[in-house]
Amino acid sequence: MYGCGKQRLQGRKIKVMSNKKLHIIGGGLAGSEAAWQAAQMGVDVVLHEMRPVQKTNAHKTEQLAELVCSNSFRSDDKYYNAVGLLHEEMRQCGSLILREGDKAAVPAGGALAVDREIFSGAVTKALEEHPRITIVREEIAGLPPEDWEHVIIATGPLTSDPLAKAIQELTGEDELSFFDALAPIVHTDSINFDKAWYQSRYDKEGPAGTGKDYINCAMNKEEYENFVQALLDAPKTEFKEWEATSHYFEGCMPIEVMAERGPETLRYGPMKPVGLTNPHAEEKPYAVVQLRQDNKMATLYNIVGFQTKMKYGAQTEVFRTIPGLEDAVFARLGGLHRNTFINSPKLLDENLKLKAQPRLRFAGQVTGCEGYVESASVGLMAGRFAAAEILGHDINMPPKTTALGSLLNHITEGANAETFQPMNINFGLFPEMDVRNERGKRVKGKERKKAVAERALHDLENWINEQNRRKAA
């Protein structure tokens, strides 16, 4: 029954006879990566995904690893950007998410962005065809059955209520939540290129780009100030039952919330005018709205950083005041949903096991890491740790000097449990490194970042080689 990776048992409850299987709950980025890693190590995996039996407020398809917010995995620079370094480490570890992300890449300057449908379709196909993976379409409404001895919970920020409540009762922790917002998507042929133009910031080409990967819409000072005021005045969707006690994550801050912080906030955030030259005007832009390619055919572009909780009618009215988007046709308007995560530094041990019930591991955004790549990377580690345990191998932790190890350290022991909030990977999570130039002076900035990245890749190589030696033995 479980030998065929193409088996999809929609809505049926099952009882697994062998407790040596790894059960993974959640088929998002983290769950998909965990399943792939464990199966590649020789472990039989049952991947439980509740869609389409039980839908969510954010997902639109039943594909695994669906991207519900941005289509960007952010910077792909492995030496000067921490998330780019994490990309490279995951590639070295045989990541399914990065493999298919690279194949589905669309132009995005120095970032790695993907065609959503091609990406999630390829991930789904790879998992369905793997001989050690069985995909079961069902909701796990509560804690997993007791005879499932090895479980990874990778249900992400949209964990179903019955499972979330069961976890809360088990851990004794109050639910922690924050907002995640969706950016609108525009049909390319509805953009006015008498005002808009193609250019990457500083003409940077990146992994799949040409230096002209973004569509840019410039504003003068008056247009910008009117736009900010329109954002502030627009009617918003209110979520009174949970908005007062929840927190926005800084990386997905609704644009109107940013505008509330001050009139110049957007000019130093998603609308910064640096590194761009408007070919339609001699004067320098006062602010610039950027749109990033959302699919391979380049027929859709999303408005970068424009997550919003404005009501739909207001969104259309306000966003069409942007020069070049006067007649914009929207394939999707922005939205907002609540995300849930656990207090990982308090609840999890160093290899992602729940202290209150060690048969359960957690992975992905539910652990309090933030971002597509970060979520997948924690899934990568959880899958490897669980597989090693099932196979009777010692769990070999990634060095804290690597992006993988530094992120793992942060969410399991490095962060303050009293003030824990979701975190993207960043160089501030890495151990200190004393880097000096030829004059003996301590270096900072880009030089230090590159030294930290080179150390990480060196230590990662040694870690992978050690794992391979143990496997061979």
Side-chain angles (χ1 to χ4, degrees), residues 219-231:
M219 290 183 179
N220 60 33
K221 184 177 182 180
E222 181 181 1
E223 290 167 335
Y224 172 77
E225 290 175 347
N226 290 339
F227 177 74
V228 171
Q229 192 59 51
L231 290 175

Side-chain angles (χ1 to χ4, degrees), residues 2 7 56 72 112 140 159 168 205 256 277-278 280 296 301 316 318 323 337 362 374 413 419 457 470:
Y2 287 98
Q7 187 98 19
T56 76
S72 175
L112 172 60
I140 306 300
T159 301
Q168 182 180 349
E205 294 185 2
E256 61 276 3
T277 303
N278 184 359
H280 305 301
K296 278 282 190 184
Y301 274 70
T316 301
V318 172
H337 58 269
F362 283 78
E374 290 88 338
E413 56 182 330
T419 59
L457 294 173
R470 292 186 183 190

Side-chain angles (χ1 to χ4, degrees), residues 80-96:
Y80 299 109
N81 190 288
V83 75
L85 173 59
L86 188 57
H87 289 179
E88 183 61 24
E89 291 187 10
M90 292 176 67
R91 290 185 180 107
Q92 297 299 322
C93 292
S95 166
L96 173 66

Side-chain angles (χ1 to χ4, degrees), residues 188-235:
T188 313
D189 60 8
S190 69
I191 298 173
N192 178 8
F193 284 95
D194 289 335
K195 297 180 178 180
W197 76 97
Y198 287 94
Q199 185 186 8
S200 302
R201 205 177 295 281
Y202 300 109
D203 301 308
K204 195 167 185 178
E205 294 185 2
T210 64
K212 297 182 179 180
D213 304 333
Y214 290 78
I215 295 174
N216 301 277
C217 301
M219 290 183 179
N220 60 33
K221 184 177 182 180
E222 181 181 1
E223 290 167 335
Y224 172 77
E225 290 175 347
N226 290 339
F227 177 74
V228 171
Q229 192 59 51
L231 290 175
L232 297 175
D233 294 340

Side-chain angles (χ1 to χ4, degrees), residues 49 65 87 102 263 271 292 325 353 374 429 444 450:
E49 168 54 49
H87 289 179
D102 288 335
M271 296 178 66
R292 179 176 55 230
L325 300 186
K353 282 187 173 183
E374 290 88 338
L429 300 182
K444 300 178 181 179
K450 186 174 182 180

Side-chain angles (χ1 to χ4, degrees), residues 379-423:
L380 182 152
M381 291 184 281
R384 285 181 168 232
F385 296 164
E389 186 174 63
I390 291 170
L391 296 170
H393 300 164
D394 292 335
I395 294 177
N396 190 14
M397 312 294 290
K400 293 179 182 179
T401 53
T402 64
L404 288 166
S406 67
L407 184 61
L408 177 66
N409 176 67
H410 175 75
I411 63 176
T412 58
E413 56 182 330
N416 185 342
E418 300 303 317
T419 59
F420 184 60
Q421 283 290 308
M423 179 71 75

Side-chain angles (χ1 to χ4, degrees), residues 103-179:
K103 292 179 182 177
V106 297
L112 172 60
V114 303
D115 182 302
R116 304 166 192 266
E117 294 185 8
I118 293 176
F119 169 74
S120 59
V123 172
T124 302
K125 184 174 184 291
L127 294 173
E128 287 179 341
E129 292 180 349
H130 199 292
R132 288 195 176 274
I133 298 175
T134 300
I135 300 170
V136 181
R137 300 285 183 163
E138 64 172 359
E139 179 184 4
I140 306 300
L143 291 180
E146 293 183 3
D147 60 348
W148 294 5
E149 291 190 7
H150 305 280
V151 181
I152 295 175
I153 296 176
T155 46
L158 299 174
T159 301
S160 67
D161 287 342
L163 179 55
K165 289 177 181 178
I167 294 169
Q168 182 180 349
E169 292 174 2
L170 175 62
T171 61
E173 288 293 309
D174 292 333
E175 180 183 31
L176 299 177
S177 58
F178 63 99
F179 295 112

